[in-house]
Amino acid sequence: MGNAKYIRFEGTVRHSRGHFPGIFVLANELAAQGRLTGDQYQFWRSNNDWYDANYTNPTHVDPEIYDPQVNPGAVAWFKASAQHLIERVDGYLELLASHGVECRRLESSNPGRVIYEDTHQVVVIPAELSST
């Protein structure tokens, strides 16, 4: 991991809003489209429930955090110290790979302008989109 303070897992294809969606968005889309097998759906549902119980959803703090008009390009990054959250990501990566969804892991010490922060994560506007 080196000196990176933040870690992000995202797809390799831009979404309609222009950003690269995170793995939770990608998995949620597969579930909403009814593309998951029974076992995959069970994994997705139970792990989403676990994440909901174990870390804050930034939209519960600020409903406009991901609004493209308010915070264009906003994306979440795990803090590298949140290993108990990061270690559960592999299952999502396997689920996405089984549906041909390519993902990548990014590491950064400065992923952009922080617009939200808690113990486990930051939400940033990437530097290339941030005017401040």
Side-chain angles (χ1 to χ4, degrees):
M1 189 173 356
N3 294 327
K5 293 170 38 178
Y6 306 102
I7 299 169
R8 177 170 169 76
F9 299 89
E10 65 182 20
T12 60
V13 176
R14 288 189 187 274
H15 250 204
S16 59
R17 286 183 24 213
H19 70 291
F20 294 98
I23 60 166
F24 299 119
V25 168
L26 293 168
N28 292 350
E29 287 177 347
L30 290 175
Q33 295 164 0
R35 295 179 54 198
L36 301 181
T37 67
D39 287 345
Q40 289 173 334
Y41 186 88
Q42 184 177 1
F43 165 85
W44 168 79
R45 180 71 275 147
S46 66
N47 279 275
N48 275 13
D49 290 345
W50 184 89
Y51 275 105
D52 288 345
N54 286 282
Y55 87 117
T56 304
N57 181 333
T59 60
H60 295 166
V61 176
D62 179 358
E64 295 183 334
I65 196 82
Y66 294 115
D67 182 320
Q69 301 302 319
V70 177
N71 295 309
V75 293
W77 290 68
F78 288 113
K79 289 184 176 180
S81 59
Q83 286 299 307
H84 68 292
L85 300 176
I86 295 168
E87 66 191 18
R88 297 180 73 103
V89 165
D90 286 347
Y92 283 89
L93 296 174
E94 292 169 13
L95 181 146
L96 293 166
S98 75
H99 289 273
V101 179
E102 291 185 32
C103 295
R104 61 186 167 207
R105 175 187 171 126
L106 303 175
E107 298 181 3
S108 178
S109 291
N110 184 17
R113 182 170 55 90
V114 176
I115 57 172
Y116 170 84
E117 182 172 5
D118 64 36
T119 305
H120 306 298
Q121 66 188 323
V122 294
V123 177
V124 304
I125 297 177
E128 64 269 14
L129 300 175
S130 182
S131 60
T132 58

